[in-house]
Amino acid sequence: SDLYHESIKQFIMPHTHFSKAHEQYVIAKHLLHTTLPLVKDPKLLIGITHNMYDSMTHASNILTKSPSIPVKTVKISEVHQKFGKQFDELHRTIQSYKKSPVVFRRQENFIICSPDYEIEPITKQRVQGQLNVLKEFLMEISAIINRKD
């Protein structure tokens, strides 16, 4: 019985994380392409950034915490090298937002001010670019999960 539960866990765990990662991606895409044009509130861009970060976190957990993904199958360092910059950028943006004394909207952009008043604009174009990278990342993770070695 323990062997059965262990094998089920090894199969389901990566798929659960992937399902959550995909769900966060779909939400981010919907917010960017459907909700944002309707409500015209650039503050949504930080919410979309959160969804993308959560998606990358769930997908990354597949590589780091899934016993069913053999390390030889995937060179985690290669995936991190390719997508780590985006993950760090999303994390940094969320942290900047949390620590920011001032945030405001300017035209279609959401502006985050650091405590020393450096300005970080979050634009629809920037978020769209990050969403494209996230899609590529999820496609790569999907290929890893579905790889038959």
Side-chain angles (χ1 to χ4, degrees):
S1 175
D2 282 320
L3 184 61
Y4 172 76
H5 288 293
E6 196 56 39
S7 64
I8 291 294
K9 193 168 85 179
Q10 286 183 1
F11 174 77
I12 291 177
M13 186 176 168
H15 295 280
T16 303
H17 280 297
F18 190 80
S19 175
K20 288 176 183 175
H22 179 71
E23 181 182 335
Q24 292 299 310
Y25 166 78
V26 169
I27 291 168
K29 185 177 176 187
H30 180 81
L31 287 171
L32 185 64
H33 297 294
T34 306
T35 309
L36 185 63
L38 283 174
V39 299
K40 295 178 176 35
D41 184 353
K43 189 169 187 193
L44 272 175
L45 294 171
I46 194 68
I48 297 166
T49 301
H50 267 282
N51 288 109
M52 291 188 296
Y53 178 74
D54 289 346
S55 177
M56 286 196 88
T57 301
H58 283 298
S60 296
N61 284 339
I62 294 167
L63 299 181
T64 57
K65 296 182 179 159
S66 254
S68 64
I69 307 289
V71 179
K72 69 175 178 56
T73 325
V74 56
K75 293 185 172 68
I76 294 173
S77 60
E78 284 178 18
V79 176
H80 188 272
Q81 188 175 13
K82 194 169 179 183
F83 298 102
K85 183 178 172 231
Q86 161 119 350
F87 189 76
D88 294 343
E89 184 179 313
L90 293 171
H91 184 259
R92 188 184 44 72
T93 299
I94 292 167
Q95 293 308 309
S96 297
Y97 173 69
K98 287 179 179 176
K99 294 175 185 168
S100 175
V102 178
V103 294
F104 59 93
R105 300 164 183 87
R106 181 182 293 152
Q107 291 135 6
E108 295 181 357
N109 302 328
F110 187 69
I111 311 296
I112 299 172
C113 292
S114 70
D116 52 356
Y117 291 94
E118 290 177 24
I119 289 177
E120 179 183 356
I122 301 178
T123 66
K124 184 178 179 184
Q125 294 76 17
R126 171 181 162 178
V127 171
Q128 178 61 61
Q130 292 170 328
L131 195 63
N132 292 342
V133 173
L134 174 58
K135 181 180 179 182
E136 187 184 336
F137 178 63
L138 293 177
M139 288 169 60
E140 198 153 312
I141 297 296
S142 176
I144 289 166
I145 292 173
N146 295 311
R147 188 177 294 161
K148 306 279 185 256
D149 281 349

